[in-house]
Amino acid sequence: MLIKTFQWLSRKWNSYKYRFVPWIVVNINDKTSVKVSQDQVYSSSILLSNLTEQINKFQDYSFLRDDIDEYARLNEVNQAELLNHSGFALALRESCLDGAGRGVFIEKGKAPQGSIVGVYPGTVYQPYQPILIQSVRNQFLFRCADGVLVDGNDRGISKVIFKSCSSRDQIGLVRTSDTSWLTPWPVNPLNVGQYVNNGTEQEKANVCYQELDLPISTFPLALRKFIPNVNYASVSQDGFRDLKVVVLVALRDISAGEELFSSYFTIIQA
């Protein structure tokens, strides 16, 4: 019994430790970081333009309440649009890493180097905002370089908070964020970045994280329903600010059948 408990705890820790900032700081090495050359880093303006262009190809919808059947249909349609426009489609299935749970795979086609292959969904918290309760047993917290946290957990209180903030920010009959990522069928197929597993010595990172500041004042309102992020605090509480969006970018061409692997710490080489 003790051996099984230890093995279970070990698997949980091995899955979580790469998101535990103090552990990363002490253990920065080739296993916890990926070195990215300048020619593999794309400007925020280029990535934002590419993201906007891609989601503009997705099939639009206007319903406000969650509809699983419609989400499933739109996911299938927009996977085909992703394949047609960007050259690849994605799938969630059991990771090839033992005990890692689900992972993200290139299902069809090939993702070219520099393409956006995922968006990290969730509620965006500024460093001074409360997140203690949400962080308990939460392996889907992503820490940005400036201390901003993105809670990509699609269950429990994290799910409730995201849906509440999304409803709060709705403008009339227009959604301003995607809630379908909280279901198995995100209408934007890219909104599965929280399931990309950390690479290993055998399975090297083939994607890296890049942070974007999405300008809410100028970004097309009709496309915001495809963005899986929302600020925790309202404008009246925290003032007007851009929306932090974390995208995953292919470091090389990634072919059909390959799993996406990231590093939770990226070092940009001069």
Side-chain angles (χ1 to χ4, degrees), residues 204-256:
K204 299 293 185 183
N206 50 22
V207 304
C208 70
Y209 296 100
Q210 286 195 234
E211 301 168 19
L212 310 178
D213 290 319
L214 188 144
I216 292 178
S217 60
T218 59
F219 190 79
L221 178 61
L223 298 183
R224 283 178 59 186
K225 63 168 68 75
F226 296 107
I227 301 297
N229 300 103
V230 63
N231 284 319
Y232 173 71
S234 65
V235 173
S236 62
Q237 293 172 312
D238 201 40
F240 187 86
R241 65 170 67 249
D242 291 340
L243 180 65
K244 181 78 72 177
V245 175
V246 179
V247 297
L248 291 89
V249 181
L251 292 172
R252 60 170 175 81
D253 292 351
I254 308 174
S255 301

Side-chain angles (χ1 to χ4, degrees), residues 30 49 74 79 81 94 109 118 123 131 147 165 172 176 210 246 254:
D30 290 339
S49 175
L74 287 167
Q79 285 281 12
E81 288 294 338
E94 194 71 18
T123 306
I131 195 173
C165 292
T176 57
Q210 286 195 234
V246 179
I254 308 174

Side-chain angles (χ1 to χ4, degrees), residues 22 50 69 71 108 113 150 162 182 214 261:
N50 291 347
D69 291 337
Y71 285 162
K108 298 178 182 178
Q113 178 180 336
V150 183
F162 187 92
L182 297 165
L214 188 144
F261 293 108

